[in-house]
Amino acid sequence: MTSKPVKIGIIGLGRWAKVLTRAAQTSDKFEIVAGHSRSEEKRAAYEADFGIATVATLEELLANPEIKGCILTVPNEQHLPVAEQVAAAGKHVYTEKPIANTLTNGLKMHELQERHGVCLMVGHSARLLKGTRLIKAAIDAGELGRVAFMEANFSNERALELTPSTWRWYRDKAPGGPLSQLGIHQFDALHYLGGDISEVSSIASKLSPVGAEVDDQSMTLMKFADGKVAYVGCCWTSPGIYSIRVFGSKGLMHYELDFGHWDDPSNLHLTSTLYIQRGKDGYGKREEIKLPQANMFVDELEMFAEVCSTGQIKELSASDGNVALAVVYAALRSVDRNGALVPLSEVIDEARADVAAERNAA
């Protein structure tokens, strides 16, 4: 990377833009120099909070030659049209997860890279959590032996707070409820830890008393190409939790974080837990591993700054984002089929066919 901070723009100035901007201001590797929202009120609030200039039109932001890439924190259905404009201006794209509102649009997002000579990065920041990274290092070093089984959970109380005025109330905006809003984080994390995913099975239920359209309980099973299996659970009517457990022939590792610090990950290490249990020694002899201080949002944005400097992407790619989204769609299809296994290739191939059909019809 160059010695000077990489200059970046941000598009969409709501709550999550503020979370990322607070993280950005702790880094000396990049600088957010301009923001854009169609809302004058949000532009004024953002300028007041961070002292960063905003512009009224996207065209004005993209005309700035110093800006090398743009962060997108716009609603899911706007990811593709906004990313198309950013990429056409020759600027690299960072978009919050999911990569798009549909898998078809996710594949179109991927195509922007070759068409415009830019890189597209997806903000699946959960795989950057230090506990997850340490588990991956242990797997790669052979400490756990052959990994055969993984389990993960990401739950919170969101379904108890839904009203018809919130977009998560609606099935078309938040398909599967916690499946697409929480489970997708774990689908990406387990893809990172376990490799290629081949098949998905899922069941869901609706138990929240508020009456939203979406399901609010989800259990998903995944089979990996090498034979390992995994489970991801999401309850949308409980206190918040995020945990991953990986089982191998030589040992297991368990990671659980304090969900209360999700928006401020610099303090996650203080109250989160990571331990390894080796061989037959049992639970009583597990070894707790000290978690280093870190910030997954800073880490992912510094990755994006490096992408903007080098034009190369190593992780959090469009391909990664589309795998996580494909698991969501395979799980939704499995729910409709009463839990039957759905090959991931089935939903990906259909989305590719849809892209081709749209291109041929144009």
Side-chain angles (χ1 to χ4, degrees), residues 1 6 11 41 45 50 66 71 94 103 106 126 143 156 165 188 193 213 215 224 237 258 290-291 304 339 357:
M1 293 183 62
V6 178
I11 302 166
E41 180 180 355
F50 301 107
E66 292 190 323
I71 298 166
Y94 166 100
L103 185 55
E143 287 188 69
N156 62 28
S165 64
D188 179 72
L193 293 172
E213 288 184 1
D215 290 325
F224 289 73
T237 56
D258 179 357
K290 185 176 181 180
L291 288 162
F304 182 55

Side-chain angles (χ1 to χ4, degrees), residues 151-163:
E151 61 183 21
N153 193 294
F154 194 178
S155 297
N156 62 28
E157 69 292 340
R158 181 75 70 181
L160 299 175
E161 304 170 347
L162 295 177
T163 69

Side-chain angles (χ1 to χ4, degrees), residues 238-294:
S238 80
I241 189 172
Y242 182 101
S243 64
I244 293 177
R245 191 176 296 188
V246 175
F247 299 79
S249 57
K250 294 181 181 180
L252 67 86
M253 292 183 77
H254 173 90
Y255 176 44
E256 187 171 330
L257 61 79
D258 179 357
F259 181 72
H261 287 297
W262 185 266
D263 285 4
D264 180 25
S266 294
N267 292 316
L268 278 173
H269 67 293
L270 298 175
T271 52
S272 300
T273 300
L274 175 67
Y275 69 75
I276 185 168
Q277 179 180 324
R278 302 178 189 274
K280 298 180 180 180
D281 288 344
Y283 181 84
K285 295 183 180 180
R286 68 193 185 278
E287 304 166 29
E288 188 162 343
I289 299 171
K290 185 176 181 180
L291 288 162
Q293 184 177 20

